[in-house]
Amino acid sequence: MTVFLCAKCGTAITPDLAELAAVPDFSVGERDRDEKTRRAPSTVPRGCYAIDPEPWGPPYVVQDDQRNPKPAQPRGPRIRGEEGFVMSAGTRRTVLVHPADAATLEALPNGENNTGCCGPAGDEGLNRACPCGARVATLAADCLGPYELHLDPVRTYAFSP
């Protein structure tokens, strides 16, 4: 079991979590989304975490194939920038957890990096902070993408008692 802590202040961000061997293979159709919030089911079940090997969040780079663009980041929607469809060149090896397993994290003031139609899309960068104020995670909870929380691997660390 592993607890994730804020690298700035040492506060526990999660309870004890069990590691999954990989990010669960996850496909969401419209019928799988919550009728009220339009959120997808969480990518990772409660009480677990997985290391996401793929890039997540900004910066973004223009995709080579503009005719058949891929999602900008894993499990997310396509994003079109000024120069065309983009893909994430952001942080790899983020720690993917169920959003409810990091309930003490807070949204940034004034809705910073929380743009989305039904919740934060997660494509603007870190949007959740430890109670000490350190930005440590990105919540994706919009109706067009996944429902997951990415802990930054530099701003958080794992402790296995």
Side-chain angles (χ1 to χ4, degrees):
M1 298 296 269
T2 302
V3 174
F4 290 90
L5 305 148
C6 172
K8 181 178 180 184
C9 72
T11 297
I13 293 170
T14 69
D16 279 335
L17 301 176
E19 184 174 9
L20 300 173
V23 175
D25 189 16
F26 201 74
S27 177
V28 176
E30 275 304 305
R31 71 179 194 286
D32 299 322
R33 294 187 175 275
D34 182 90
E35 286 184 29
K36 198 180 238 181
T37 65
R38 303 300 306 140
R39 279 189 198 137
S42 179
T43 305
V44 175
R46 289 209 58 183
C48 297
Y49 75 95
I51 304 299
D52 192 347
E54 299 298 321
W56 180 264
Y60 293 93
V61 296
V62 176
Q63 293 187 31
D64 292 332
D65 187 353
Q66 291 291 307
R67 291 183 186 201
N68 297 303
K70 296 179 180 172
Q73 47 207 15
R75 300 165 304 282
R78 291 186 298 264
I79 297 175
R80 185 172 179 85
E82 290 181 16
E83 294 114 20
F85 288 100
V86 297
M87 59 190 284
S88 175
T91 305
R92 290 180 180 269
R93 302 193 51 75
T94 58
V95 179
L96 194 58
V97 302
H98 190 292
D101 282 336
T104 62
L105 295 184
E106 303 166 351
L108 299 182
N110 302 316
E112 186 179 350
N113 296 345
N114 276 299
T115 304
C117 94
C118 299
D123 59 4
E124 296 176 301
L126 298 168
N127 61 16
R128 292 294 177 267
C130 172
C132 78
R135 296 173 184 213
V136 296
T138 304
L139 174 65
D142 190 36
C143 61
L144 297 175
Y147 180 49
E148 55 195 33
L149 183 72
H150 291 257
L151 301 179
D152 186 283
V154 173
R155 296 165 188 250
T156 62
Y157 65 96
F159 176 72
S160 299

